[in-house]
Amino acid sequence: MVQHQLRGSFRIIDDCSFRVSNFDMLSGTDVHWWGAIALDFTNFTSGFVVSDQKLNETYKNASFVVRLKKNVKWDQIQVMAAWDLPAASDFGHVILQRPVNGSAGSPNMAPSPSEGGNSGEEMKPAYIEPTTFENCKVLADNYRVRWTLNTKDKLIDIGLEAAIPMTNYMAFGWANQSESSNLMIGADVAVMGFKEDGVPLVDDFYITQLSECMINKDGTVHGVCPDTIFEDSDPVVVNNTKLIYGHRRDGVSFLRYQRPLVTIDRKYDMPINHTENMTVIWAMGPMKPPDAIRPFYLPQNHGGTYGHLVLNVSEHVNDCLGPLAAEDNEDQDVVIADANAPLVVTSGPALYYPNPPNPAKVLYINKKEAPLLRVERGVPVKFSIQAGHDVALYITSDLLGGNATLRNMSETIYAGGPEAEGVQASPMELTWQPDRNTPDQVFYHSIYQQKMGWKVQVVDGGLSDMYNNSVLLDDQQVTFFWTLSEDSITIAARGEKKSGYLAIGFGSGMINSYAYVGWMDETGKGRVSTYWIDGKEALNVHPTKENLTFVRCKSESGIITLEFTRSLKPSCTQGHGPECKNVIDPTTPLKVVWAMGAKWVDEHLSDRNMHSSRSSRPMRVLLMRGSAEAEQDLQPVLAVHGFMMFLAWGILLPGGILAARYLKHVKGDGWYQIHVYLQYSGLSIVLLGLLFAVAELRGFYVSSVHVKFGIAAILLACMQSVNAYIRPNKPANGEVASSKRILWEYSHAIIGRCAIGVGIAAQFTGMKHLGDRYDSENVHGLIWALISWFMIIALMAIYLEYRERQRRRDRAIGRSNWVLGNDEDSVDLLGPTISIEGKESHPSRTMEVQLEPLRR
């Protein structure tokens, strides 16, 4: 079996015919019997049709004889397959072998165990497919159990197949034969399914309660749990199920495992008496991936799909008529193209290529193997091609690719070609925009090799057309869309892989975040709920009453998409819940995280609702710019901006003011030179720091508090410079100051004080902005350091003011008979009184004092 649930027995009758028995196969497009000399890709695809019989219908346990074409001989055939011609697709095949005696003639193929027959001594058993069993029993319309009994080795091989989603489990086992009412309690079952990467798994389970497996705080275990969790012993002894084979084909899960009839583990395993009737139980439902609490794949509720029956494994049974047909037979990953995010095209090993046979290397898009690519008409699709110089991407109408003209076929090429190749160091950028004339389905392939890519689904419109901006969140597993309006924002999020629910959160992590969860309820209706999360436990997830409008949630092939509109500033007229603080500032980066899980409920959350995958770090979404960047440390340029502003507003400008206030008693005009140099130096550094911030943030937005304070402080500082330049002349000694001079002195003092006050406020709001932007753990420490610094400056000013007042008192009582410099140079722009005889830049005149002795 390769595809289309093909299963059966094959036997050569003579030189020109063969017989197929118990043949199952889902119908194809144009299917024929195909012969090839080898199973490798090149030889297999270069084979030929060996019979005139067509296989264009669904076969159910059919048996018939097939005659070869007259010109076909058995020595030309090593591989016989059911082959779909248009897709060059192998549905299933047998490998033929020569007689044991080595003579020429017809090769042989051993019959399956279910067919029997006289094979003759020349017949040597070939490989028996693991999908082949002696018996089959229907458990439900989409669920079957197959088995083969090996009494010689006291083993039984069991196969389960079900048309279920890949994320679901299948369970089968023996009930506790002493139970008559509740057959599942004490039952020994095997639970199997597939991991996220498609790897099959099976484990031995024991049922103590009809609930999911739970580990109590005291270490006790109850529920449907693996045997290994009950006993701290060798897993080989406790787990008595052995995985033989597993695959996903056409939306059907199939797994084969083996177990002994009587096991060593008599505590948790049920012995099988193969000659007696015994009660068996079965179930299927969602499977929960491992998490930090329970590192196992565990079955969740079976959703009502379960049952039991009486079975004697030694009796021959086969009531499985025909192949299982799944409604959703596409298991391949889906990648949805976005206009703003390029699709990264690489190449890698073929693991689960959807259309075998295939070459060893195939195309990957966004790290997914040959996914179904979904694009929208009118939306440009950008490819970043990094698949190697031997792989050239092109979009074609041909299903197989590899340049159809080499097969004498015609094709339409929509984009790409021989020049569309590149490597990771120098990727090739390719843009393709589907239009109204593009067919609903085209294909992406390499122009040099057939069957490296897969389908492109072209649809009308979608999220990319509905929203102005979109970015891929961390790990490229969720796409985030948004459109800003004056007082609201419309948001959408789409998972890029199958899940039971999708959650996005605003915050640096899921803890202390505002979360929006979208899921499908039991009735199939899409739901979106809001939460405040303040811890890691289920009890820490608190529903909120945030007002969302235009809410939608849908699931397409397991891909969850949620949409809603919310206010930038939530209305809190009805209370003071945590949602009141969930404010979105478009000028501040919005930190977004995501999580996915198997199941969500609207109330009574528990550990079973824990996520199975989540973002490793938040993305900082720049709402105004329409881009995103990963959370990172403080950018160096912004750090320089902060240091320059501190140097200006915390040292230079206050230093200049203190010099003008407290250094006038020093002889000469040194205080004036210090004042001017410090003020102009501070202003130059402020303007330079502003340019650094604008250049780094690639924009100039004035809506945040920090920016408003900063602009106000800079304007006041610039006004102060202009004010100093146009100051009126100082009156000569003995003259009365003009009204213009007095007005200027008052305005210069007031504007300077306001500039310093607003500048200090900008410093503290800048620290808060830093914390909001980068969530830095050191922000609080920096704020206290800033407070301490300005407290030191304030204490220094108080001390200098005290000394200044003391100096004035000393002069007033005539403590000294001479002065240093001139007493009349004490113009004080910051003092409560202003002298009109102050001296500015004029040098002091020399005063001669003659001292004579006193005579009595």
Side-chain angles (χ1 to χ4, degrees), residues 604-624:
H604 305 302
L605 294 172
S606 64
D607 291 338
R608 72 189 65 176
N609 305 117
M610 182 177 292
H611 55 72
S612 57
S613 60
R614 62 180 178 85
S615 54
S616 56
R617 59 181 177 177
M619 292 292 288
R620 299 171 60 250
V621 179
L622 309 177
L623 299 175
M624 299 289 289

PDB file of all heavy atoms in Angstrom, residues 604-624:
ATOM      1  N   HIS A 604     -14.344  26.140  33.476  1.00  0.00           N
ATOM      2  CA  HIS A 604     -13.781  24.970  34.152  1.00  0.00           C
ATOM      3  C   HIS A 604     -12.502  24.492  33.453  1.00  0.00           C
ATOM      4  O   HIS A 604     -12.360  23.319  33.097  1.00  0.00           O
ATOM      5  CB  HIS A 604     -14.791  23.824  34.218  1.00  0.00           C
ATOM      6  CG  HIS A 604     -16.101  24.212  34.855  1.00  0.00           C
ATOM      7  ND1 HIS A 604     -16.173  24.726  36.140  1.00  0.00           N
ATOM      8  CD2 HIS A 604     -17.367  24.201  34.359  1.00  0.00           C
ATOM      9  CE1 HIS A 604     -17.458  24.988  36.424  1.00  0.00           C
ATOM     10  NE2 HIS A 604     -18.202  24.688  35.359  1.00  0.00           N
ATOM     11  N   LEU A 605     -11.590  25.424  33.254  1.00  0.00           N
ATOM     12  CA  LEU A 605     -10.318  25.066  32.644  1.00  0.00           C
ATOM     13  C   LEU A 605      -9.517  24.180  33.568  1.00  0.00           C
ATOM     14  O   LEU A 605      -9.604  24.269  34.797  1.00  0.00           O
ATOM     15  CB  LEU A 605      -9.511  26.336  32.323  1.00  0.00           C
ATOM     16  CG  LEU A 605     -10.089  27.261  31.248  1.00  0.00           C
ATOM     17  CD1 LEU A 605      -9.316  28.550  31.183  1.00  0.00           C
ATOM     18  CD2 LEU A 605     -10.066  26.570  29.901  1.00  0.00           C
ATOM     19  N   SER A 606      -8.704  23.296  32.971  1.00  0.00           N
ATOM     20  CA  SER A 606      -7.858  22.402  33.748  1.00  0.00           C
ATOM     21  C   SER A 606      -6.557  22.204  32.995  1.00  0.00           C
ATOM     22  O   SER A 606      -6.322  22.794  31.933  1.00  0.00           O
ATOM     23  CB  SER A 606      -8.554  21.053  33.972  1.00  0.00           C
ATOM     24  OG  SER A 606      -8.749  20.381  32.731  1.00  0.00           O
ATOM     25  N   ASP A 607      -5.695  21.356  33.554  1.00  0.00           N
ATOM     26  CA  ASP A 607      -4.395  21.104  32.931  1.00  0.00           C
ATOM     27  C   ASP A 607      -4.532  20.474  31.558  1.00  0.00           C
ATOM     28  O   ASP A 607      -3.602  20.529  30.751  1.00  0.00           O
ATOM     29  CB  ASP A 607      -3.537  20.204  33.834  1.00  0.00           C
ATOM     30  CG  ASP A 607      -3.112  20.915  35.107  1.00  0.00           C
ATOM     31  OD1 ASP A 607      -3.105  22.155  35.098  1.00  0.00           O
ATOM     32  OD2 ASP A 607      -2.794  20.232  36.099  1.00  0.00           O
ATOM     33  N   ARG A 608      -5.667  19.870  31.273  1.00  0.00           N
ATOM     34  CA  ARG A 608      -5.851  19.245  29.955  1.00  0.00           C
ATOM     35  C   ARG A 608      -5.937  20.289  28.848  1.00  0.00           C
ATOM     36  O   ARG A 608      -5.811  19.966  27.682  1.00  0.00           O
ATOM     37  CB  ARG A 608      -7.097  18.367  29.962  1.00  0.00           C
ATOM     38  CG  ARG A 608      -8.393  19.149  29.996  1.00  0.00           C
ATOM     39  CD  ARG A 608      -9.601  18.277  30.220  1.00  0.00           C
ATOM     40  NE  ARG A 608      -9.562  17.646  31.527  1.00  0.00           N
ATOM     41  CZ  ARG A 608     -10.541  16.896  32.011  1.00  0.00           C
ATOM     42  NH1 ARG A 608     -11.611  16.665  31.277  1.00  0.00           N
ATOM     43  NH2 ARG A 608     -10.442  16.353  33.210  1.00  0.00           N
ATOM     44  N   ASN A 609      -6.171  21.541  29.229  1.00  0.00           N
ATOM     45  CA  ASN A 609      -6.228  22.627  28.244  1.00  0.00           C
ATOM     46  C   ASN A 609      -4.880  23.296  28.039  1.00  0.00           C
ATOM     47  O   ASN A 609      -4.799  24.315  27.364  1.00  0.00           O
ATOM     48  CB  ASN A 609      -7.255  23.669  28.671  1.00  0.00           C
ATOM     49  CG  ASN A 609      -8.636  23.077  28.917  1.00  0.00           C
ATOM     50  OD1 ASN A 609      -9.140  23.111  30.025  1.00  0.00           O
ATOM     51  ND2 ASN A 609      -9.226  22.492  27.885  1.00  0.00           N
ATOM     52  N   MET A 610      -3.836  22.736  28.635  1.00  0.00           N
ATOM     53  CA  MET A 610      -2.503  23.321  28.495  1.00  0.00           C
ATOM     54  C   MET A 610      -2.060  23.281  27.034  1.00  0.00           C
ATOM     55  O   MET A 610      -2.405  22.371  26.286  1.00  0.00           O
ATOM     56  CB  MET A 610      -1.501  22.571  29.368  1.00  0.00           C
ATOM     57  CG  MET A 610      -0.087  23.137  29.344  1.00  0.00           C
ATOM     58  SD  MET A 610       1.029  22.257  30.448  1.00  0.00           S
ATOM     59  CE  MET A 610       0.357  22.719  32.035  1.00  0.00           C
ATOM     60  N   HIS A 611      -1.307  24.290  26.652  1.00  0.00           N
ATOM     61  CA  HIS A 611      -0.858  24.375  25.267  1.00  0.00           C
ATOM     62  C   HIS A 611       0.158  23.279  24.960  1.00  0.00           C
ATOM     63  O   HIS A 611       0.901  22.811  25.833  1.00  0.00           O
ATOM     64  CB  HIS A 611      -0.238  25.738  24.980  1.00  0.00           C
ATOM     65  CG  HIS A 611       0.876  26.098  25.922  1.00  0.00           C
ATOM     66  ND1 HIS A 611       2.110  25.507  25.899  1.00  0.00           N
ATOM     67  CD2 HIS A 611       0.914  26.986  26.941  1.00  0.00           C
ATOM     68  CE1 HIS A 611       2.868  26.010  26.831  1.00  0.00           C
ATOM     69  NE2 HIS A 611       2.177  26.915  27.493  1.00  0.00           N
ATOM     70  N   SER A 612       0.213  22.857  23.714  1.00  0.00           N
ATOM     71  CA  SER A 612       1.201  21.873  23.255  1.00  0.00           C
ATOM     72  C   SER A 612       2.362  22.538  22.539  1.00  0.00           C
ATOM     73  O   SER A 612       3.427  21.942  22.390  1.00  0.00           O
ATOM     74  CB  SER A 612       0.543  20.852  22.326  1.00  0.00           C
ATOM     75  OG  SER A 612      -0.076  21.498  21.225  1.00  0.00           O
ATOM     76  N   SER A 613       2.172  23.768  22.077  1.00  0.00           N
ATOM     77  CA  SER A 613       3.253  24.532  21.457  1.00  0.00           C
ATOM     78  C   SER A 613       2.995  26.001  21.694  1.00  0.00           C
ATOM     79  O   SER A 613       1.847  26.431  21.824  1.00  0.00           O
ATOM     80  CB  SER A 613       3.354  24.235  19.959  1.00  0.00           C
ATOM     81  OG  SER A 613       2.144  24.581  19.295  1.00  0.00           O
ATOM     82  N   ARG A 614       4.066  26.775  21.751  1.00  0.00           N
ATOM     83  CA  ARG A 614       3.939  28.196  22.029  1.00  0.00           C
ATOM     84  C   ARG A 614       5.135  28.928  21.441  1.00  0.00           C
ATOM     85  O   ARG A 614       6.134  28.318  21.050  1.00  0.00           O
ATOM     86  CB  ARG A 614       3.858  28.468  23.532  1.00  0.00           C
ATOM     87  CG  ARG A 614       5.101  28.039  24.293  1.00  0.00           C
ATOM     88  CD  ARG A 614       4.977  28.338  25.772  1.00  0.00           C
ATOM     89  NE  ARG A 614       6.127  27.891  26.529  1.00  0.00           N
ATOM     90  CZ  ARG A 614       7.244  28.585  26.692  1.00  0.00           C
ATOM     91  NH1 ARG A 614       7.358  29.778  26.128  1.00  0.00           N
ATOM     92  NH2 ARG A 614       8.250  28.120  27.401  1.00  0.00           N
ATOM     93  N   SER A 615       5.043  30.247  21.393  1.00  0.00           N
ATOM     94  CA  SER A 615       6.154  31.055  20.913  1.00  0.00           C
ATOM     95  C   SER A 615       7.277  31.034  21.942  1.00  0.00           C
ATOM     96  O   SER A 615       7.028  31.007  23.145  1.00  0.00           O
ATOM     97  CB  SER A 615       5.694  32.491  20.659  1.00  0.00           C
ATOM     98  OG  SER A 615       5.084  33.030  21.813  1.00  0.00           O
ATOM     99  N   SER A 616       8.499  31.031  21.462  1.00  0.00           N
ATOM    100  CA  SER A 616       9.648  31.014  22.356  1.00  0.00           C
ATOM    101  C   SER A 616      10.007  32.396  22.863  1.00  0.00           C
ATOM    102  O   SER A 616      10.694  32.537  23.864  1.00  0.00           O
ATOM    103  CB  SER A 616      10.860  30.393  21.642  1.00  0.00           C
ATOM    104  OG  SER A 616      11.140  31.083  20.441  1.00  0.00           O
ATOM    105  N   ARG A 617       9.530  33.436  22.191  1.00  0.00           N
ATOM    106  CA  ARG A 617       9.790  34.807  22.619  1.00  0.00           C
ATOM    107  C   ARG A 617       8.748  35.712  21.983  1.00  0.00           C
ATOM    108  O   ARG A 617       8.157  35.369  20.963  1.00  0.00           O
ATOM    109  CB  ARG A 617      11.193  35.259  22.214  1.00  0.00           C
ATOM    110  CG  ARG A 617      11.440  35.193  20.713  1.00  0.00           C
ATOM    111  CD  ARG A 617      12.836  35.629  20.344  1.00  0.00           C
ATOM    112  NE  ARG A 617      13.062  35.487  18.916  1.00  0.00           N
ATOM    113  CZ  ARG A 617      14.183  35.856  18.298  1.00  0.00           C
ATOM    114  NH1 ARG A 617      15.163  36.383  19.004  1.00  0.00           N
ATOM    115  NH2 ARG A 617      14.325  35.695  17.001  1.00  0.00           N
ATOM    116  N   PRO A 618       8.481  36.867  22.586  1.00  0.00           N
ATOM    117  CA  PRO A 618       7.492  37.773  21.996  1.00  0.00           C
ATOM    118  C   PRO A 618       8.035  38.484  20.767  1.00  0.00           C
ATOM    119  O   PRO A 618       9.244  38.651  20.613  1.00  0.00           O
ATOM    120  CB  PRO A 618       7.214  38.769  23.137  1.00  0.00           C
ATOM    121  CG  PRO A 618       8.450  38.749  23.966  1.00  0.00           C
ATOM    122  CD  PRO A 618       9.003  37.353  23.870  1.00  0.00           C
ATOM    123  N   MET A 619       7.126  38.864  19.901  1.00  0.00           N
ATOM    124  CA  MET A 619       7.455  39.712  18.756  1.00  0.00           C
ATOM    125  C   MET A 619       6.944  41.119  19.042  1.00  0.00           C
ATOM    126  O   MET A 619       5.817  41.292  19.511  1.00  0.00           O
ATOM    127  CB  MET A 619       6.812  39.177  17.477  1.00  0.00           C
ATOM    128  CG  MET A 619       7.389  37.861  17.001  1.00  0.00           C
ATOM    129  SD  MET A 619       9.088  37.982  16.413  1.00  0.00           S
ATOM    130  CE  MET A 619       8.827  38.845  14.868  1.00  0.00           C
ATOM    131  N   ARG A 620       7.777  42.102  18.769  1.00  0.00           N
ATOM    132  CA  ARG A 620       7.407  43.500  18.942  1.00  0.00           C
ATOM    133  C   ARG A 620       6.797  43.990  17.627  1.00  0.00           C
ATOM    134  O   ARG A 620       7.516  44.208  16.662  1.00  0.00           O
ATOM    135  CB  ARG A 620       8.615  44.324  19.348  1.00  0.00           C
ATOM    136  CG  ARG A 620       9.220  43.884  20.669  1.00  0.00           C
ATOM    137  CD  ARG A 620      10.552  44.546  20.972  1.00  0.00           C
ATOM    138  NE  ARG A 620      10.439  45.991  21.055  1.00  0.00           N
ATOM    139  CZ  ARG A 620      10.950  46.828  20.158  1.00  0.00           C
ATOM    140  NH1 ARG A 620      11.602  46.366  19.101  1.00  0.00           N
ATOM    141  NH2 ARG A 620      10.820  48.124  20.302  1.00  0.00           N
ATOM    142  N   VAL A 621       5.477  44.100  17.619  1.00  0.00           N
ATOM    143  CA  VAL A 621       4.759  44.500  16.411  1.00  0.00           C
ATOM    144  C   VAL A 621       4.660  46.019  16.395  1.00  0.00           C
ATOM    145  O   VAL A 621       4.098  46.630  17.313  1.00  0.00           O
ATOM    146  CB  VAL A 621       3.358  43.866  16.370  1.00  0.00           C
ATOM    147  CG1 VAL A 621       2.614  44.303  15.115  1.00  0.00           C
ATOM    148  CG2 VAL A 621       3.480  42.344  16.410  1.00  0.00           C
ATOM    149  N   LEU A 622       5.214  46.630  15.364  1.00  0.00           N
ATOM    150  CA  LEU A 622       5.186  48.077  15.201  1.00  0.00           C
ATOM    151  C   LEU A 622       3.940  48.434  14.398  1.00  0.00           C
ATOM    152  O   LEU A 622       3.921  48.345  13.172  1.00  0.00           O
ATOM    153  CB  LEU A 622       6.460  48.551  14.505  1.00  0.00           C
ATOM    154  CG  LEU A 622       7.768  48.039  15.144  1.00  0.00           C
ATOM    155  CD1 LEU A 622       8.967  48.494  14.340  1.00  0.00           C
ATOM    156  CD2 LEU A 622       7.871  48.499  16.576  1.00  0.00           C
ATOM    157  N   LEU A 623       2.885  48.780  15.103  1.00  0.00           N
ATOM    158  CA  LEU A 623       1.573  48.939  14.487  1.00  0.00           C
ATOM    159  C   LEU A 623       1.552  50.047  13.451  1.00  0.00           C
ATOM    160  O   LEU A 623       0.899  49.923  12.419  1.00  0.00           O
ATOM    161  CB  LEU A 623       0.528  49.209  15.574  1.00  0.00           C
ATOM    162  CG  LEU A 623       0.357  48.101  16.619  1.00  0.00           C
ATOM    163  CD1 LEU A 623      -0.601  48.545  17.706  1.00  0.00           C
ATOM    164  CD2 LEU A 623      -0.144  46.810  15.976  1.00  0.00           C
ATOM    165  N   MET A 624       2.244  51.147  13.709  1.00  0.00           N
ATOM    166  CA  MET A 624       2.225  52.267  12.774  1.00  0.00           C
ATOM    167  C   MET A 624       3.035  51.986  11.521  1.00  0.00           C
ATOM    168  O   MET A 624       2.697  52.427  10.426  1.00  0.00           O
ATOM    169  CB  MET A 624       2.761  53.525  13.466  1.00  0.00           C
ATOM    170  CG  MET A 624       1.955  53.970  14.673  1.00  0.00           C
ATOM    171  SD  MET A 624       0.353  54.658  14.244  1.00  0.00           S
ATOM    172  CE  MET A 624       0.824  56.207  13.497  1.00  0.00           C
TER     173      MET A 624
END
